[in-house]
Amino acid sequence: MKKRFAIYLCGLLTILSLYACGADDQKLQNEVNATLTASYPGVIGSVKHGVATLSGHVTSENARIMAEQDVKDIKHIKSVVNKIEYQPAPASTPSTSIHVNSDNVINQTISDGLRSAGYNNITVEVMNGEVTLSGNVKQADLQRVMQIANEAQPRKVNNRLNIE
């Protein structure tokens, strides 16, 4: 009888520990996808047992490598399986070229937009048209913060925000 009870107890503890790992994986997956959505719109990630699997399409090999590195930098990610496919962007015509504002204009526009929306704990850094956002933001506010940053027409937005 004691042996049977011990077996049931071990089974219950195993189930509880697996359930606990799943909750952590879900939180990590949310953080991975928030990071990817900000800078790599065609890429998504999934997390199982701390291992992130990335999939989707990017238009440069550099973006593929950077997406992997950004996810590796997330705390508690054990490793990354990069299944992102590189698809070169079609040749652009003059009418579809992207306009990138100067660093000062981008920084001022984003800072003013964040401040007017009440996001005072976010730091904005701009270098060569590339924006890096850092600080703390609520999950519900992340999309609005990214929208404010992208409205300034930067070349790229790097999301280094901590999700609360």
Side-chain angles (χ1 to χ4, degrees), residues 109-164:
T109 302
I110 295 172
S111 296
D112 290 348
L114 292 172
R115 191 172 26 262
S116 69
Y119 303 114
N120 298 319
N121 57 345
I122 297 176
T123 303
V124 179
E125 295 177 13
V126 183
M127 182 176 287
N128 299 323
E130 194 168 303
V131 174
T132 301
L133 300 175
S134 58
N136 298 317
V137 67
K138 293 179 183 174
Q139 178 71 38
D141 295 333
L142 179 61
Q143 185 174 6
R144 178 65 182 131
V145 168
M146 296 309 298
Q147 180 183 2
I148 290 169
N150 283 306
E151 286 174 352
Q153 297 180 326
R155 186 166 41 94
K156 180 179 176 184
V157 177
N158 295 310
N159 178 357
R160 301 282 189 243
L161 295 166
N162 297 315
I163 307 296
E164 297 177 332

Side-chain angles (χ1 to χ4, degrees), residues 3-95:
K3 188 174 184 178
R4 185 178 257 173
F5 177 74
I7 291 172
Y8 286 126
L9 184 60
C10 286
L12 180 62
L13 290 174
T14 301
I15 290 169
L16 286 175
S17 67
L18 289 175
Y19 177 76
C21 288
D24 289 341
D25 283 347
Q26 185 61 47
K27 288 179 186 175
L28 282 172
Q29 183 167 328
N30 289 344
E31 189 172 349
V32 164
N33 282 319
T35 299
L36 294 172
T37 302
S39 299
Y40 315 99
V43 179
I44 59 170
S46 63
V47 177
K48 186 171 185 177
H49 304 296
V51 177
T53 301
L54 310 181
S55 59
H57 303 280
V58 293
T59 57
S60 74
E61 185 62 26
N62 188 45
R64 183 181 179 283
I65 293 166
M66 292 301 297
E68 179 178 347
Q69 188 58 51
D70 286 352
V71 172
K72 281 181 180 177
D73 290 344
I74 296 173
K75 189 175 181 180
H76 301 298
I77 291 292
K78 296 175 186 173
S79 64
V80 176
V81 178
N82 191 342
K83 295 183 177 180
I84 300 171
E85 295 181 15
Y86 160 61
Q87 291 182 336
S92 63
T93 60
S95 62

